[in-house]
Amino acid sequence: MITVKKVSLLCSLVLITAISGYGIYEWITKEIINASTLFFIFLGIGFLFQSLTWGELNGKHEGEKDEMEKHITLLSSKISYYLLLLLMLIVLIVSEKVIALNDIKNIPLVIVIGLAWITMPITEFVVSKKYR
């Protein structure tokens, strides 16, 4: 394993462990879960998997990617887009405890899900215009 990958993995694990420990401490002592704690745990997990996949926190630069790496990035982007939409719908249903759309009170979350739904088609349209 290259040194950069080892350092990236170590930093990611330290970040996740430290923030998770702090979050668990706050949860046990104050009975609260902060949004910032959750955000930074997710950020650390993202860095960890970026390090595991590409060997560095920032990933490979565009000029260094071969065809297989470009294919992996494209395919994982599409899968993660649809998976994120599904998870957002699950969060909406669980948090609102309803199934009927008219009973949903969390309008900002519905707007975010709607924006997420149209993001990829609009982006593909704009990018396709660039190549036509």
Side-chain angles (χ1 to χ4, degrees):
M1 193 180 305
I2 59 175
T3 305
V4 174
K5 187 171 185 174
K6 288 180 183 179
V7 171
S8 296
L9 288 172
L10 181 64
C11 289
S12 299
L13 290 172
V14 167
L15 179 70
I16 293 168
T17 305
I19 295 171
S20 298
Y22 176 73
I24 291 170
Y25 170 77
E26 275 197 327
W27 183 34
I28 291 171
T29 59
K30 301 176 186 175
E31 296 182 358
I32 59 170
I33 298 174
N34 285 330
S36 62
T37 303
L38 291 174
F39 175 79
F40 286 113
I41 289 172
F42 289 135
L43 190 65
I45 293 170
F47 282 148
L48 175 68
F49 279 96
Q50 184 79 9
S51 300
L52 287 170
T53 305
W54 305 113
E56 47 188 274
L57 290 176
N58 297 330
K60 289 195 173 185
H61 300 293
E62 196 61 38
E64 299 175 8
K65 287 187 177 181
D66 63 10
E67 290 300 317
M68 179 60 84
E69 291 167 338
K70 288 179 182 178
H71 178 71
I72 290 169
T73 301
L74 177 66
L75 187 59
S76 62
S77 296
K78 287 211 173 210
I79 291 171
S80 63
Y81 168 75
Y82 290 112
L83 184 61
L84 182 61
L85 283 175
L86 177 66
L87 292 172
M88 289 169 66
L89 287 171
I90 291 170
V91 166
L92 178 65
I93 291 169
V94 169
S95 68
E96 292 291 314
K97 297 179 183 75
V98 295
I99 296 178
L101 290 175
N102 290 337
D103 295 336
I104 295 174
K105 302 292 185 232
N106 193 345
I107 300 302
L109 184 55
V110 173
I111 291 170
V112 168
I113 292 171
L115 291 172
W117 183 260
I118 65 172
T119 298
M120 183 179 280
I122 291 173
T123 305
E124 287 175 342
F125 173 77
V126 170
V127 171
S128 72
K129 288 293 184 183
K130 178 182 174 184
Y131 290 106
R132 288 186 184 173

